[in-house]
Each structure stands twice: as C-alpha cells, then as structure tokens.
Amino acid sequence: MMLKTIFSGFGGQGVLMMGYSFAHSAMNKGYHVTYLPSYGAEVRGGTANCTIAVADEEITSPVASEPDYVVVMNSPSLITFQNKITCGGTMFLNSSIVEIRPSRKDIKICAVPCGDMAREMGNIRVANIIMMGAFIKKTGIVPSDVYLKSIGTIMGGKKKSVAELNQKAFTAGYDFVKD
Amino acid sequence: MNKVLMSGNNIIGEAAIRAGCRFYAGYPITPQNELTEYMAEHLRTVEGGVFLQSESEIAAIHMITGASATGARVMTSSSSPGISLKQEGISSMAACELPGIIVNIMRGGPGLGNIRPAQGDYFQATRGGGHGDYRTIVFGPATCQELADLTMDAFDLADKYRTPVMILADGMMGQMMEPVIFKKPKPRQYNEKFMLRGAGHGKSKIIRGLILDPIDMEEHNWKLARKYQVIIDHETLHEEYKTEDAKLVIVAYGTSARIAKGAIKRLRDKGMKVGLFRPITLWPFPELKLRKLAEKINNFLVFEMSTGQMLEDVRLALQGYADIGFHGRPGGVVPTPAELANVVARHYEKKD
C-alpha cells in the first residue's frame, strides 16, 4: 500500500498543519511516512501545499506525481491540482469558498462546507480540523482515536479550551460525511 | 527512544546538539534556514551552547574554525552559494587540522541559481572545494534517519582524523519530514593536546596554516595526503539494493537514490532486473566496491540532479570494466521515478 495526499490552500488556512498532523498520526499507526512542504518565496495569503506519502513499505520519492487524495481549501488549489489526481482518486474540497468543481468525471468529490461549519462553531480557524474529520473518515487510513491523539500531542502546550474545540471540530467533520 | 517526525534541517540540528555540538555560527539562506533557526532556539538550552548569527557566511566558517581550535565541537551550515563563500575557511580548517562539520543543503546553481533541490555541488564538495591540496570527508545521506545517524558520525570522524567533514544534502532532504530515532552518541574522543586553552605551563601549542618554508609545507602536504589515504582505505560507506540478480545497476546518491529506488520498483514490476549502488560517503568514493560489482554486471547508469559530476568518479571506478550511461536533471528539477524508469528501460533494452 502506498497512498499519496496533497493538502493545499491559502497560507494561513492551516494546510501544512493538516498534512503534519496526518503524517504524525500515520507514523503512530506504524506506517512509513514522508511529509514534504512547499517552500520558497511565498507571501501571506499566497498558496501553500504539502505532500504526504503513507505506505507499509519504504517510501522512495516523497513527491506525488499522481496523488490518490487531494484536499483543496481554496479555488486556486483546485485549478492547480485537479489534473494531477489519479484516476479514481478523491478530491476533498472546502465548498464554503470553492464554488467551482473539477471538470473531470473520473474522480470522486467530497465537498465539505468546513468554512461555514467553523464559523458556526465560532472560530474559522478550525475549518482545517473539520476537513480532517471528513478526510480521516473517508480515507480510513488512520483511525480517529489515533488522529486525535496526534493532534493532542502536537497541540501539547495549548489551552484545554483549544483542545476541546479541536475535538468538537474533528467530530463535526467526521459525522458530516458518510462511510 | 520514541520515533519523532521532524524535518531534515531540524534533525541535523538535534543530532548535532545530542552529539555534543556546542558552537554553531551561520547566516540565513533557503533551503536550510530551519537548521539555523533550530540551533538559535535550542543551543541556548544546553550548557555551554553558543549560537551566533554571523554577519556573513565567511565570518561563520572562521568563527567555527576559532571555536574548534579551542576544542569545541562545532558546526556551520548553508546552501550552495553560501558554501562557496566558506571555501577559504574550509581550506584553513583542513590545513590547520581542525575538526568541524559543514552542512550544505544544496540548491539549484550555478550563481545564485534558485532554491529548488539540486546536486550541482558534488565537485566542490568532493574535490576539496577551496584552494590547496586537501580533501574533506563528504556524506551524502538519503533518508532523514541517515541524516540523524551520519550527523553524529560526522562529529566522530572529524575528531578522529582532525579534519572538516561535510554533509551534502539538498533542499528536498532539508525540507522533508520523516520519522526518526536518535541513537545514543558515542563519548567524545579528542585529545586535549590539540585544544588551545590559554596560557599554561607546558609547551606552546601552535595551530597554523601559514608555513613559509616550502620544504616544511611539502612535508605538511604529504602528512595530510597520508591521512587522506588512511581515510580512503577505511571510511567508505555504500548501500547496494537489489544488485544480486541485477542486469543493470543505477549509481545514485541522496535524493537521486530515492528516486532511483522508486524507478527500480516500477521496473522490477515489469520484470526488468535493475539494482542500485548508492555511495554514502561521496569522498572517499567507494570505488573498489563499485568495481567489484562490475565483475558480474556490465551495464551501469549514473543518475544525478546535475549535468554529470559523480559520473566522473564512476568512470574512474568503472572505465574499461563496464558500460556507463548517464541521466541528469540539473538546475533544481526533481524528476519522478516514472521518468527515470523510462530512461532506464531504454538503457536496459539496449544492452540485453
């Protein structure tokens, strides 16, 4: 098994955190894992993305030329990555701000209004965690308890209220999508 | 010790501190900034730790030279253009026989080039780089775990041979995260007689690279050359991957070797018997080990993210023993395993 995922969006939407937390949990599940962020002369509000490879064997290239999953948190990311995703792969999109849809018919689409859901919870910043709830359930690579434990470890020093909000956000995303 | 998920740059920093590095000087440059940042944050938390953001790369290398002369475990890091600036200092360290670690997280060149991963500094790293008759030990790690292990080993080797050691990785290795387990570093073995520790009662200690009498300088050069020969005889490292039944062997290091392994997986699925020879020490180059492989394999393909630099070492090892092909992607391009597989398939069919 070798699964590659690209998380993408605006800088500030927490897409690198999505990738890092997913990679962290996959590591704790016992998988081989690589995390490769985009880097360079980026600007605030510009695009950010990272590539996660999860496998049950040694991972050679951390680059994904044909990702199995792509998570797009904004419209430019959809345009950038819709043609990279492998045939039969799944695109997760933040339908709160992504109004367009991929023109391809050979991929599955999982639309999650995670921006609106986050705003309802009173904090737009958990939109990424809501999306992770949907992602974790749909992909089934990492069990939810393993993922939540990783989020706890990563957020270690943060306030209890933050941890509870993350848990709530994750559950909302998890329950939003069907198996 | 638990597995942790860290970026290559941070792993080098953590491994260095665990290995006893207590003096780091550096100047920011992408894609190695996270290493400088890590040292800034963490060196101050250990006893005796000194972090200095120098005014330039040249200052940084001379700062670690000075600190090394006093007996500290030292490191500096940069990326390609910054490493060029450090060459004068590296030559001085080699001349003065001072241990120290220089990390080069390579990017596209020549000139300022770009900030994408590349392997164009192989010649500079393995041929000495600066002026004069000297060599530096060069490691070419290919995984984050190897970054951790080799960083620690680099400090031990630098002390053992009293010579600068370079870690030659690229932007991908620096930025990428992988799970890593830090091994327990060995206790340091470095004789105090080599350390300048202020006025004492014993004989004067002199550390210098300026030797005006040519006969003395010649002797110093031969002394260094004898030391390098010992290193060549004892310190080569390499990995062989699926070479037992191989009809074609790819020779690649670092990130290229990872891509090569991906290509090999694809090719083997199609029934092509392809293996990998991966030098881990780039200097000394595992020449004899590679030549041994040519006893049973005739078809080699060198793959680098450059226009062909390690290719020359492979030729020195194999010319007259086997056929050598080459595929290169310089300038910051990271090719896919699929592309390399296609190239290899062409070379494979040609010979088989």
Side-chain angles (χ1 to χ4, degrees):
Chain A
M1 172 270 248
M2 163 78 74
L3 293 168
K4 293 191 175 178
T5 308
I6 292 176
F7 294 89
S8 56
F10 288 126
Q13 281 184 309
V15 293
L16 298 186
M17 177 53 82
M18 293 168 89
Y20 179 68
S21 60
F22 174 52
H24 195 276
S25 62
M27 172 183 79
N28 286 342
K29 184 76 179 73
Y31 288 119
H32 291 262
V33 54
T34 62
Y35 163 102
L36 184 69
S38 60
Y39 68 91
E42 307 289 1
V43 292
R44 190 173 292 272
T47 57
N49 70 76
C50 61
T51 305
I52 316 303
V54 176
D56 50 13
E57 57 185 328
E58 184 183 355
I59 297 165
T60 55
S61 173
V63 180
S65 39
E66 284 180 307
D68 302 276
Y69 305 108
V70 174
V71 179
V72 300
M73 295 295 279
N74 66 356
S75 300
S77 302
L78 185 144
I79 293 159
T80 307
F81 292 111
Q82 68 165 343
N83 291 332
K84 284 194 101 180
I85 191 165
T86 194
C87 179
T90 305
M91 176 181 278
F92 295 81
L93 57 88
N94 171 11
S95 55
S96 300
I97 58 168
V98 180
E99 284 168 1
I100 49 175
R101 292 292 178 268
S103 46
R104 284 175 64 179
K105 299 292 169 236
D106 62 333
I107 57 171
K108 287 172 236 143
I109 293 168
C110 179
V112 182
C114 56
D116 298 322
M117 290 166 74
R119 225 172 274 113
E120 275 165 33
M121 279 182 199
N123 194 334
I124 183 67
R125 291 196 296 172
V126 295
N128 61 340
I129 302 294
I130 295 173
M131 183 58 97
M132 283 312 293
F135 179 82
I136 291 293
K137 185 167 184 182
K138 268 282 187 216
T139 57
I141 302 167
V142 175
S144 57
D145 58 326
V146 176
Y147 180 78
L148 283 169
K149 211 173 153 209
S150 277
I151 279 285
T153 310
I154 294 163
M155 301 281 180
K158 294 274 167 58
K159 277 183 297 198
K160 202 163 163 251
S161 59
V162 176
E164 280 167 2
L165 184 62
N166 277 325
Q167 169 104 33
K168 206 176 125 199
F170 178 84
T171 308
Y174 195 86
D175 292 341
F176 181 81
V177 293
K178 294 180 191 71
D179 281 321
Chain B
M1 181 64 217
N2 286 332
K3 255 193 240 174
V4 286
L5 186 63
M6 287 174 84
S7 76
N9 281 325
N10 289 352
I11 287 166
I12 297 171
E14 179 62 28
I17 293 171
R18 284 174 189 243
C21 175
R22 289 297 177 269
F23 187 95
Y24 171 96
Y27 185 84
I29 182 171
T30 306
Q32 65 83 54
N33 285 319
E34 295 80 6
L35 173 50
T36 310
E37 189 185 10
Y38 194 90
M39 296 311 264
E41 191 178 340
H42 290 87
L43 255 186
R44 64 195 164 98
T45 65
V46 291
E47 201 188 329
V50 177
F51 167 85
L52 258 164
Q53 182 177 319
S54 55
E55 68 271 35
S56 73
E57 288 88 347
I58 302 173
I61 187 77
H62 289 292
M63 285 172 182
I64 72 157
T65 304
S68 177
T70 70
R73 276 202 151 170
V74 300
M75 183 168 89
T76 186
S77 65
S78 192
S79 179
S80 306
I83 295 293
S84 293
L85 291 169
K86 291 185 195 291
Q87 293 301 332
E88 177 195 4
I90 299 171
S91 173
S92 278
M93 290 175 84
C96 296
E97 298 192 83
L98 291 170
I101 308 303
I102 300 108
V103 180
N104 182 0
I105 304 295
M106 286 184 282
R107 58 188 237 179
L112 281 180
N114 59 34
I115 57 173
R116 309 307 306 172
Q119 296 184 321
D121 302 353
Y122 181 92
F123 280 153
Q124 185 194 54
T126 59
R127 267 58 181 170
H131 61 281
D133 254 326
Y134 79 96
R135 299 283 190 155
T136 48
I137 297 171
V138 183
F139 284 124
T143 63
C144 284
Q145 185 61 53
E146 225 171 53
L147 276 179
D149 296 342
L150 292 178
T151 299
M152 289 186 182
D153 297 347
F155 280 99
D156 294 335
L157 273 190
D159 284 345
K160 183 177 176 186
Y161 294 104
R162 293 199 290 133
T163 194
V165 177
M166 181 172 281
I167 293 168
L168 191 68
D170 61 57
M172 182 123 100
M173 293 298 308
Q175 296 291 324
M176 182 174 68
M177 286 190 194
E178 278 185 307
V180 64
I181 297 171
F182 290 100
K183 65 179 179 182
K184 200 168 175 283
K186 292 184 199 130
R188 189 182 190 194
Q189 294 191 322
Y190 190 65
N191 198 315
E192 200 168 327
K193 72 181 180 192
F194 301 125
M195 305 175 185
L196 297 183
R197 285 288 169 86
H201 301 289
K203 223 174 123 198
S204 298
K205 296 173 188 169
I206 298 169
I207 295 176
R208 59 174 179 175
L210 180 71
I211 302 169
L212 290 172
D213 185 328
I215 296 299
D216 291 345
M217 193 67 213
E218 183 188 25
E219 181 40 41
H220 186 57
N221 268 282
W222 286 122
K223 182 187 157 203
L224 292 178
R226 286 192 294 274
K227 174 166 82 176
Y228 298 144
Q229 191 57 49
V230 174
I231 296 172
I232 290 168
D233 292 342
H234 294 100
E235 306 295 349
T236 63
L237 293 171
H238 75 288
E239 181 201 359
E240 285 181 33
Y241 174 75
K242 294 187 192 285
T243 53
E244 303 78 25
D245 63 342
K247 295 258 190 293
L248 182 151
V249 166
I250 304 171
V251 187
Y253 72 97
T255 293
S256 299
R258 293 183 74 110
I259 296 164
K261 277 191 183 177
I264 289 166
K265 209 167 283 175
R266 284 163 185 262
L267 290 158
R268 288 217 166 233
D269 285 345
K270 289 179 195 156
M272 281 179 263
K273 289 174 180 160
V274 180
L276 171 73
F277 183 92
R278 177 172 73 91
I280 298 171
T281 51
L282 304 178
W283 193 89
F285 188 80
E287 184 180 5
L288 298 178
K289 301 285 175 7
L290 182 56
R291 192 173 295 155
K292 185 128 188 58
L293 212 50
E295 285 173 8
K296 49 174 188 158
I297 298 157
N298 184 42
N299 197 358
F300 289 81
L301 181 88
V302 180
F303 168 55
E304 293 178 75
M305 280 144 61
S306 77
T307 54
Q309 300 193 10
M310 185 177 70
L311 175 62
E312 293 197 0
D313 280 333
V314 175
R315 282 185 182 143
L316 286 170
L318 295 181
Q319 198 85 288
Y321 293 88
D323 290 325
I324 307 160
F326 175 71
H327 183 63
R329 293 300 303 269
V333 176
V334 181
T336 60
E339 171 189 326
L340 182 63
N342 290 339
V343 172
V344 173
R346 200 174 72 228
H347 282 262
Y348 189 89
E349 295 304 333
K350 194 172 67 183
K351 308 288 177 193
D352 207 36

